[in-house]
Amino acid sequence: MESRFMLLSDVAAELNVSDSQVYHMVRKGELPAIKIGGRGQWRVERAKLEQYIEQKYAETASWVEQNPLSERDTDAD
């Protein structure tokens, strides 16, 4: 059974980004997380990470729709 909460390092590995990038996403409020324990360690709920990913897919689709490739861009392939 998968754990409900993930370490920031696990989130970073899942998204293929650095630990510091995930920390900044959390601190900016872009990715919901909680602080737990006496040391205040960050944890991201797996469901929140999945919601974040879905949100990024929607934002990307919107951006692509608003910024279509020009013929010049497609010639570079």
Side-chain angles (χ1 to χ4, degrees):
M1 182 173 155
E2 284 186 318
S3 176
R4 178 177 176 179
F5 291 96
M6 302 171 69
L7 301 169
L8 294 189
S9 59
D10 295 333
V11 174
E14 190 80 20
L15 295 176
N16 197 27
V17 298
S18 70
D19 291 0
S20 64
Q21 284 176 294
V22 173
Y23 176 77
H24 281 60
M25 291 162 45
V26 166
R27 292 289 287 141
K28 289 184 347 187
E30 183 179 342
L31 177 62
I34 59 172
K35 272 181 100 167
I36 60 169
R39 294 171 155 176
Q41 296 178 353
W42 291 100
R43 296 293 184 270
V44 175
E45 191 172 0
R46 186 170 297 281
K48 296 290 186 187
L49 176 59
E50 292 302 326
Q51 290 172 356
Y52 173 80
I53 292 169
E54 289 301 318
Q55 174 189 341
K56 289 300 172 187
Y57 270 116
E59 289 174 8
T60 301
S62 177
W63 183 89
V64 167
E65 186 177 307
Q66 294 172 15
N67 297 279
L69 287 174
S70 67
E71 284 186 38
R72 183 176 54 125
D73 293 333
T74 58
D75 290 341
D77 295 338

